[in-house]
Amino acid sequence: MHKAYLAALMSLLPFAAQANEGCMLVMSYPQAAVLHESGDCTTRHPPASTFKIPLALMGFDAGILQDAHTPRWPPTLKYGPITQREQQEADATIWLKDSIIWFSRRITEQLGAMKFQDYITRFDYGNKDVTGTKGTNDGLLNAWLFTSLTICAREQAGFIHKLLSRELRVTDTAYDMTIASMPRFMAGDWQVLGKTGSGTTEQGAQQGWFVGWAQRGTQQIIFTKLMFPPAGTQQAAGPYTRDTFLRELPNLMAQSNDAP
């Protein structure tokens, strides 16, 4: 039943909606029953660093990454400027925790354009457009960074559902190592595994994602949170969205469990 519901959820795309409304979507796993949905969860936006989740699956499946701590690569200017946060050796766990762009680009370069597109198509990820910035042919290094690739909150949740259900046609090692490498947080008594994503829209607004899944006892959920923090917010948009979600989750789930 959950697969049929998920198919129905995805069949509603594409949508016409207000682009900057933000979204909060929580659904049960494996049933895929929507427990909470508010805001605009149907307009596609760049995935930013939430794309590191599917990219981790690609890297482990292709054998570029071996486990959560192997390989461990030094920083390099080959893939563009390096922020202070990125000036460190990194493995898969550090890469996901600190959102290291040069590490992502090293994976995609090793995949190559054809294999990269093949994975995107196989995963049915968002609009599946990895051409990159128009007229530059930079998709292999930049497609997910506010250029061509976009995805909506419902599609993000659908992708996580397929990851947890192992329906993406990658190796068991790829599933196991991606999950083992994911950043972990606590929200009350919920253990949360999720990835942030930050960036600036063409209109100059800050955009933040937090995408993943959470578990408390035998109860498991999938979540997507998309926010456009107000101007002047000191924290980066992705961590701001993550911290907002972690504060909201316990009360939201308490209300959901109390519902008739």
Side-chain angles (χ1 to χ4, degrees):
M1 180 178 294
H2 69 273
K3 290 184 180 180
Y5 181 86
L6 193 61
L9 192 67
M10 293 298 104
S11 71
L12 296 175
L13 296 168
F15 304 84
Q18 296 299 315
N20 288 337
E21 192 177 343
C23 164
M24 173 79 150
L25 175 63
V26 178
M27 69 183 191
S28 63
Y29 179 81
Q31 301 86 354
V34 174
L35 304 176
H36 175 89
E37 184 172 6
S38 58
D40 171 15
C41 298
T42 62
T43 297
R44 286 172 170 157
H45 301 275
S49 284
T50 65
F51 186 69
K52 288 181 173 66
I53 303 176
L55 188 53
L57 285 167
M58 298 177 204
F60 285 118
D61 185 64
I64 297 167
L65 307 176
Q66 282 78 60
D67 59 42
H69 302 293
T70 310
R72 190 177 178 95
W73 290 330
T76 173
L77 290 169
K78 178 181 179 181
Y79 304 106
I82 298 176
T83 66
Q84 184 175 358
R85 186 189 69 248
E86 297 175 321
Q87 294 175 3
Q88 59 178 315
E89 288 192 348
D91 54 28
T93 302
I94 295 169
W95 164 56
L96 290 169
K97 177 177 69 72
D98 291 339
S99 282
I100 297 175
I101 294 175
W102 61 257
F103 197 101
S104 299
R105 289 170 169 162
R106 183 161 177 170
I107 294 172
T108 56
E109 182 184 63
Q110 291 189 45
L111 286 171
M114 290 183 63
K115 197 164 190 176
F116 185 45
Q117 180 68 72
D118 178 66
Y119 276 118
I120 293 291
T121 303
R122 185 193 314 178
F123 293 173
D124 192 25
Y125 190 85
N127 68 349
K128 300 183 285 294
D129 183 351
V130 293
T131 56
T133 308
K134 188 174 181 179
T136 66
N137 195 32
D138 67 350
L140 190 60
L141 302 181
N142 288 316
W144 62 97
L145 296 172
F146 288 78
T147 61
S148 60
L149 187 63
T150 57
I151 190 168
C152 77
R154 289 187 181 181
E155 290 171 315
Q156 290 265 34
F159 174 79
I160 296 297
H161 194 286
K162 287 185 284 187
L163 186 162
L164 296 178
S165 300
R166 303 195 173 213
E167 296 173 349
L168 293 166
R169 294 188 291 129
V170 296
T171 63
D172 285 339
T173 296
Y175 292 117
D176 293 342
M177 290 298 100
T178 297
I179 292 169
S181 304
M182 284 286 291
R184 285 164 164 76
F185 311 90
M186 294 301 298
D189 52 359
W190 286 88
Q191 183 184 56
V192 179
L193 284 75
K195 185 71 197 77
T196 56
S198 304
T200 305
T201 69
E202 291 182 355
Q203 295 75 32
Q206 294 299 302
Q207 174 194 299
W209 287 102
F210 188 48
V211 175
W213 62 96
Q215 186 162 353
R216 180 184 62 182
T218 59
Q219 187 176 12
Q220 194 165 5
I221 60 169
I222 292 168
F223 64 85
T224 301
K225 178 83 171 175
L226 173 68
M227 295 186 73
F228 298 88
T233 302
Q234 296 300 307
Q235 195 175 19
Y240 179 91
T241 303
R242 176 198 65 208
D243 293 350
T244 301
F245 174 82
L246 294 176
R247 289 193 301 269
E248 293 173 340
L249 180 63
N251 286 338
L252 184 149
M253 292 307 300
Q255 294 169 9
S256 174
N257 292 333
D258 290 341

